[in-house]
Structure formats: structure tokens, C-alpha cells
Amino acid sequence: MSAAEFRAVSQVFGDFTAVDAIDLTIPDGKLTTLLGPSGCGKTTSLRMLAGYLSPTSGTILVGGRDCTTTPPEKRNLGMVFQSYALFPHMTVADNVGYGLKLRRTPRAEREARVTEALEMVGLAHLAGSRPKQLSGGQQQRVAIARAVAIRPELLLLDEPLSNLDARLRLQMRAEIRRIQAETGLSVVLVTHDQDEALEMSDQMVVMKDGRIQQQGSPQEVFPAPANRFVAEFLGYENFIPTNDALLTVRPEHLLVDPDGVASDGATSGGVSLPGRVTDLAYRGVDVLVTVEARAEASGDPVRLVADLRATTAPDLRVGGDVRVEAAPGHVVPLPAG
Ligand SMILES: Nc1ncnc2c1ncn2[C@@H]1O[C@H](COP(=O)(O)OP(=O)(O)OP(=O)(O)O)[C@@H](O)[C@H]1O
Ligand SMILES: [Mg+2]
């Protein structure tokens, strides 16, 4: 059984469609990410799932039950909001126990569950502290403990790591994965960070303008983006028009050959285009090489970026003629347009 389901769910604000008839299955016991740029409808989708917002149309199931009109407190979901507000006047323990108190959980059980949730996030020793005495990462973990303490069917996390510095963010990614694995909880995590989605997801759902563009495991989505939007969002930078398709190649999969002799890559599904180096950017481990090439079909200029390992990069100079190549296995065809 799935943990939750969206069936043709839309959310319309005035004449603006924020979420446009999405169908989505949230698998049980897995971590699903909603990924997409600002304004694509991630938070709106999550709020509908949590019950803070009623869909304009469509059906939402949680645990197989139609919950479309069920209020949030009756859905048994834990939620960490985009701006994680802890109650500043309460201790950490009281923050974590808040949802249990609302649910009138008896005191002894409440205390046991608060301790358990705080131990899970490694903060049992700070139970008596106030939120302002904690670091950003610690506050974030308290917010997660608060959501987990009610033993939800589904844990919803809206950009839970966006307020943290880079190092802490990496650490918390692993921590959330660990909590998910330990509890077997179904988790939906919203992010606009493709690396976060790739690293954390069992299933990732890429959204744009209120619509789902692609969904699947990172191993399915990353090597085979469904369209140009998904490709660009996942860091494919090179788009090469041909007569019947648009080809894309990641910068790290382009080779730049200063001798400029065509290999047989072009005839067997690879890319091989003549061009001229317009920029070299040394970045320590890598060198970014920008080449102005010409599309075979139209002769139009195409700007290509190759990310070469500095230690193995050939001797290149700005203005030099080169041939840019990619092996067939690294060339992804996209629907044109
Ligand atoms: N209550 C509302 N009334 C009107 N428009 C809204 C409302 N809530 C959201 N929107 C609009 O719906 C669109 C989607 O908003 P949403 O908050 O879901 O985006 P998001 O994907 O979470 O973006 P971000 O990454 O910036 O958090 C935005 O254009 C937003 O302005
Ligand atoms: Mg949002």
C-alpha cells in the first residue's frame, strides 16, 4: 500500500493555478523528495497533503483513506515547516512534547516519547534548554524530533535544511536518512537543491509551474532527464540541436581534442563537433573549457562547456581550434522544443 496519493489534485488561487492536476504516489517506508525551483508548488502540495489547505479539486489519500477534507490534527502526520518555528518560551522537551499534549497523551507516555525522540536526534542532554540557546542545526533537529514524537504515519519536511550552513546541511542529510531508515517512516521532503534530492531520495519528483515533470529514483532520473527543464535543473549544460532531436551532454562527459581530428563517435550516436575555445577557467581540480561550436544540422553556433580534470586536460588555449566529442553512452536525446 502507498503511504499517500494525490489524484488529479489542483490548487487554484484566484486565477493562478499553483498546482495543476498532479497525480502522485508516495511509497510506504521510503523517502520521497519534491524538487523544483521557487514557486513551482512544492509547499502548496505539502500543505494540501498535511491538510492546511483544501485542494480546489482532486482527491488526497493517506494510508488508503480519502483524507481530502480531513483537518490536519486528524491526519496523524508530522510536519516541519519551511521556517521552523520552535516555541521560544518553552523548553526543548516541551517543544517536542507539544503535539502529544494536544493529543492528550498521558504524561508518563508523553515523557517517554519525548526522551525517545530527543535521543533519536542526539539532543537528550539539551531537554531543559530554550531554543535560543541552541545552534541552527540543533533547533532543526528539535523541530524534527517534535514532528517524529507523535509517531506519524507520514513525516513532511519543507526545506528543513535551507537555514543551515553547507557543512551542517551535509551532516543533517545523513541524519535524516538515518532517522528514516531506523523508523521506517514514510517521508516527503521538499527541496530546491538537486544534490540534496539526488543524495537523499528513494523517489524524486521534479516539478515546474505546478506540474510534475518527471519522477523516479535518482538512478533513473539523473541519467535520463525527460525534458530540457529537468536536464538543466540537474546540471546538464550542453544542448545540441540535430535534425530530429535535441541532444544533451553533461560538462564532465565532453572531451576536447586540440588536434581536431574527427573520431568515429559522430557516426555511431556520439557527438563530434568542430569549434573554437572561447574561455578557460581554472578551478583547481577541474578546468572549465568553453567552446563555440557549430551545430551539424543548421550550422548555428552552439556554446559548449566541458569540465575536464586539470591533471589530464590537454594543452588548450583561448582561440585554438578543437573538436568536442562525447561518447554515445553519454549523449541523452530529449524531445525537441
Ligand atoms: N495563499 C496563496 N495565495 C496566492 N498565491 C499563493 C498562495 N500560496 C502560494 N501561492 C503561489 O503559488 C505558487 C507556488 O507557491 P509555493 O509556496 O507552493 O512554491 P514553492 O515551490 O514552495 O516555492 P519556494 O521554493 O520558494 O518555497 C507561487 O507562485 C506562490 O506565489
Ligand atoms: Mg516552499
Side-chain angles (χ1 to χ4, degrees):
M1 195 182 54
S2 57
E5 248 179 85
F6 289 74
R7 292 192 185 156
V9 171
S10 294
Q11 183 67 55
V12 181
F13 297 114
D15 57 4
F16 176 75
T17 303
V19 173
D20 194 359
I22 61 171
D23 290 303
L24 176 61
T25 299
I26 309 295
D28 200 26
K30 298 258 158 64
L31 194 150
T32 299
T33 54
L34 302 185
L35 171 69
S38 185
C40 73
K42 305 181 298 291
T43 294
T44 302
S45 301
L46 212 61
R47 291 181 67 214
M48 289 192 287
L49 183 53
Y52 293 102
L53 194 61
S54 291
T56 310
S57 59
T59 306
I60 292 180
L61 307 183
V62 177
R65 296 181 309 276
D66 185 341
C67 276
T68 313
T69 57
T70 309
E73 65 275 13
K74 299 234 164 87
R75 291 195 187 197
N76 197 27
L77 308 181
M79 178 139 180
V80 174
F81 294 92
Q82 195 159 0
S83 51
Y84 57 93
L86 298 177
F87 304 113
H89 57 286
M90 290 185 194
T91 64
V92 164
D94 287 344
N95 266 282
V96 173
Y98 182 77
L100 296 169
K101 207 165 183 179
L102 279 188
R103 286 168 170 74
R104 301 182 196 287
T105 308
R107 187 191 183 104
E109 187 182 347
R110 203 165 74 215
E111 285 173 358
R113 289 227 228 150
V114 166
T115 304
E116 180 192 75
L118 281 174
E119 276 170 359
M120 184 181 293
V121 299
L123 292 181
H125 60 294
L126 295 177
S129 304
R130 307 269 165 184
K132 67 169 191 299
Q133 298 171 290
L134 307 184
S135 71
Q138 289 169 332
Q139 290 184 40
Q140 196 64 69
R141 281 186 275 168
V142 173
I144 292 170
R146 182 171 63 182
V148 168
I150 61 164
R151 299 211 177 126
E153 285 174 62
L154 194 56
L155 177 62
L156 310 180
L157 306 171
D158 194 352
E159 310 238 15
L161 310 181
S162 55
N163 295 321
L164 306 179
D165 69 41
R167 204 171 53 88
L168 202 50
R169 196 152 60 221
L170 289 181
Q171 202 180 315
M172 285 299 294
R173 283 182 194 171
E175 198 126 315
I176 290 173
R177 282 299 296 173
R178 177 183 61 76
I179 292 170
Q180 193 276 327
E182 271 178 16
T183 57
L185 261 174
S186 311
V187 178
V188 182
L189 180 141
V190 162
T191 180
H192 60 262
D193 182 327
Q194 65 277 22
D195 292 330
E196 199 163 291
L198 289 166
E199 180 180 331
M200 297 183 72
S201 308
D202 295 305
Q203 171 183 241
M204 58 195 278
V205 179
V206 187
M207 295 181 66
K208 177 200 179 197
D209 297 338
R211 296 201 179 144
I212 294 173
Q213 302 291 307
Q214 190 170 7
Q215 53 185 301
S217 70
Q219 292 79 0
E220 286 163 350
V221 174
F222 185 74
N227 57 40
R228 181 168 182 152
F229 171 82
V230 177
E232 283 182 349
F233 205 73
L234 295 179
Y236 288 74
E237 284 184 48
N238 301 300
F239 296 92
I240 305 158
T242 66
N243 281 326
D244 40 29
L246 183 66
L247 304 180
T248 185
V249 186
R250 298 189 64 80
E252 58 272 28
H253 290 151
L254 277 184
L255 302 173
V256 182
D257 179 2
D259 299 328
V261 183
S263 71
D264 48 10
T267 50
S268 54
V271 162
S272 177
L273 297 174
R276 179 164 292 171
V277 176
T278 59
D279 189 50
L280 290 170
Y282 177 70
R283 299 201 311 181
V285 176
D286 305 345
V287 189
L288 285 190
V289 184
T290 308
V291 174
E292 178 118 328
R294 295 213 166 271
E296 252 166 341
S298 57
D300 288 343
V302 188
R303 185 178 153 278
L304 300 174
V305 178
D307 184 345
L308 307 178
R309 287 256 141 183
T311 47
T312 58
D315 222 1
L316 298 169
R317 61 178 180 82
V318 173
D321 287 327
V322 293
R323 184 161 280 274
V324 180
E325 308 199 309
H330 289 142
V331 179
V332 181
L334 301 171

